[in-house]
Amino acid sequence: MRPGVVEVQDIDYPEFVLKDGPGVHPANVGRKLDHGVILKVVATNICGSDQHMVRGRTTAPAGLVLGHEITGEVVEVGRDVEFIKQGDLCSVPFNISCGRCRMCKEGHTEVCLNVNPDRPGSAYGYVDMGGWVGGQADYVLVPYADWNLLKFPDKDQAMEKILDLAMLADIFPTGYHGAVCAGVTSGSTVYVAGAGPVGLAAAYSAQFLGAAVVIVGDLNKERLEQARSFGCEAVDLSQDATLPEQIEQILGVPEVDAAVDAVGFEARGRTGEAPATVLNSSMEITRAAGRLGIPGLYVTGDPGAVDEAAKVGSLSLRIGLGWSKSHSLTMGQCPVMRYHRNLMNAILNDRAQIAKAVNATVIGLPDAPRGYAEFDRGVAQKFVIDPHGMIAA
C-alpha cells in the first residue's frame, strides 16, 4: 500500500483478460489471455525481492498485488489451452514468457520479448514487469499456460512433498542458477554471499552439485546458524577479521573457486549500506579465472539509494580487479524453465530437501503482513502462504 505497509484485501477473481490496475502497462491493458488458466493457489511464497518493493526501494506503485512464487491447481482453462487440464497441480515459473519469441526459443525465458512492453522479461506482481497480477492471493491467472506450467506427474505424491516443490517457482532454480553460473562442480570451494533464502538455496545447490566446501557469509547470526544446519561453513561479516582472513582460516588459502552474490543492491557493510560491497569482495576472494554467479537483484531505479548514482543502478564496481583476474560474471533473472523439471525430479525421488534447508514456514493468507514484518527483521525462515489450508490439511 505504501513503504512498509502490506495489507490483505479483496480483489477481483481473475478473468482471461489483463485489466487496468496498479503497475499495468497501458499497452497490456485489455490483452486477451485465452491461452491462460486460472489456478487455485496452493502455495505462494514471500520473497526477498518482494521486500525490496515493500521497503520502498523500487518504483512499485501503491496497490500492487504481490507474489511471483506460485504453486497451484488448475480450476479454469482458457479456450486456447491444449495440454494443461482442469485439476492439474503445477509449479509456475516466476518468469512470464510466451514460448514464441527469439529469447524463449533460445532458452532465455527470463528476457521474453512479448510479455512486457517496457523491457525484456516479466514476472507476476512485480514492479516494471508489465503489470501481471501477483499470486499472493486465493486465485491467479497464468498466461501461456501450456508453455509456462510445470505439471506434477502425481498429485498425491506432489502434495506429500509440496513444501519442497513450492520452491521450484523461484528460489531453488535461482540458487541453483547462481551456483551453475559460478562454475560449481565436484570438489569446488564456494563462497555464497548472503544467508537469506536465495543464499541458502544457492549453498544447498552448490552441495548438490558436488562442492567440497561451501562457505556462507552474512551479518545475521540466526541465518548463519541455518546455513550451518545443513553442513555449510559460515563467516560472520560483523567480526573484525576480514573476509579473506576468515576464508583462509577455513580453507588454508584466502580464496575460493567460485562465488555467488545472493544479496543484491541492498548490500550492507559494517558501517551501513554499501551496494557494491558484495560484488567487490566476491572478486577479491575468487581465484584467478574463477566465476561469479549473481542471482541477487540489482535494479535500474532505487529511490532510497545511498547516492545519486546508485539511484539509477550505477555502482562503484572494481571492474579492473575482475578484469585483471580474468573473472567471468553472470547476472540476471534465473531462466527457471532451464532447471525446474530436473530439480522437480530430484525432489520427487528424495534427492533434494530444499524446504528444510531454507526453513520453509507455512502461514495463512491473513498472516502475510506479519510474515513480511518478520522477514524484514531478518528471521531465518522462508514464509510459504497457504491460502486455502491445503498444505495444513
Side-chain angles (χ1 to χ4, degrees):
M1 301 312 298
R2 59 185 182 276
V5 177
V6 291
E7 295 180 357
V8 179
Q9 296 187 356
D10 287 334
I11 60 173
D12 292 337
Y13 184 82
E15 298 180 33
F16 292 103
V17 61
L18 185 53
K19 297 181 177 181
D20 198 8
V24 180
H25 193 282
N28 264 352
V29 174
R31 187 168 180 163
K32 300 295 185 182
L33 305 173
D34 294 320
H35 44 65
V37 300
I38 296 171
L39 297 182
K40 180 180 181 180
V41 176
V42 174
T44 177
N45 312 335
I46 297 176
C47 180
S49 298
D50 297 322
Q51 287 284 23
H52 296 307
M53 293 184 288
V54 172
R55 291 188 189 115
R57 296 302 298 270
T58 71
T59 56
L64 184 69
V65 180
L66 300 166
H68 57 270
E69 300 190 17
I70 307 163
T71 308
E73 181 182 13
V74 177
V75 292
E76 291 191 44
V77 178
R79 181 195 66 196
D80 298 334
V81 176
E82 186 175 0
F83 304 112
I84 294 293
K85 305 299 182 185
Q86 187 175 3
D88 287 346
L89 184 60
C90 304
S91 178
V92 185
F94 78 89
N95 325 107
I96 301 173
S97 56
C98 71
R100 296 153 166 80
C101 70
R102 174 182 176 178
M103 290 297 99
C104 286
K105 289 180 178 181
E106 292 179 1
H108 297 293
T109 55
E110 79 280 18
V111 281
C112 173
L113 302 176
N114 287 332
V115 289
N116 182 2
D118 266 333
R119 65 184 71 174
S122 190
Y124 303 86
Y126 211 84
V127 60
D128 295 333
M129 290 291 186
W132 300 90
V133 179
Q136 287 173 9
D138 291 302
Y139 298 90
V140 67
L141 185 134
V142 174
Y144 303 103
D146 281 327
W147 166 253
N148 278 308
L149 290 176
L150 175 67
K151 175 186 170 181
F152 300 138
D154 184 297
K155 287 178 67 174
D156 291 337
Q157 181 193 26
M159 286 304 299
E160 291 175 3
K161 300 177 182 294
I162 194 63
L163 279 183
D164 290 305
L165 294 172
M167 303 304 146
L168 291 174
D170 184 353
I171 67 163
F172 196 7
T174 292
Y176 190 85
H177 179 61
V180 168
C181 290
V184 176
T185 188
S186 303
S188 296
T189 56
V190 185
Y191 175 68
V192 177
V198 169
L200 296 172
Y204 184 84
S205 297
Q207 293 177 335
F208 188 66
L209 288 164
V213 183
V214 180
I215 304 169
V216 180
D218 205 298
L219 297 162
N220 183 314
K221 292 178 173 56
E222 182 182 347
R223 289 180 168 181
L224 289 175
E225 281 304 311
Q226 183 63 28
R228 291 189 183 98
S229 74
F230 59 94
C232 297
E233 300 285 346
V235 294
D236 185 344
L237 299 175
S238 68
Q239 300 301 307
D240 290 335
T242 66
L243 177 58
E245 288 170 344
Q246 292 194 65
I247 287 176
E248 186 169 18
Q249 290 171 8
I250 296 168
L251 297 178
V253 292
E255 63 182 17
V256 294
D257 296 318
V260 179
D261 172 5
V263 178
F265 74 105
E266 285 195 70
R268 302 185 66 84
R270 297 179 191 176
T271 59
E273 190 165 315
T277 189
V278 169
L279 293 170
N280 288 330
S281 61
S282 295
M283 287 191 289
E284 182 183 7
I285 54 90
T286 300
R287 63 165 171 81
R291 292 161 60 180
L292 281 68
I294 310 172
L297 176 68
Y298 289 87
V299 296
T300 57
D302 175 10
V306 293
D307 56 50
E308 291 302 313
K311 287 182 179 179
V312 293
S314 295
L315 309 182
S316 297
L317 189 64
R318 292 187 65 191
I319 195 68
L321 175 62
W323 190 93
S324 68
K325 296 177 78 172
S326 291
H327 283 161
S328 299
L329 284 69
T330 303
M331 64 190 77
Q333 291 183 36
C334 166
V336 171
M337 285 188 187
R338 191 176 300 173
Y339 309 109
H340 67 171
R341 185 175 300 277
N342 284 348
L343 294 178
M344 175 190 73
N345 288 336
I347 290 169
L348 294 178
N349 289 284
D350 299 318
R351 300 286 293 175
Q353 293 82 38
I354 185 65
K356 183 178 179 180
V358 301
N359 196 17
T361 303
V362 180
I363 60 175
L365 190 56
D367 294 324
R370 175 182 62 83
Y372 270 97
E374 292 184 7
F375 193 24
D376 195 47
R377 287 196 294 270
V379 297
Q381 293 172 288
K382 174 68 173 178
F383 289 107
V384 179
I385 301 171
D386 177 13
H388 298 278
M390 297 176 72
I391 299 175

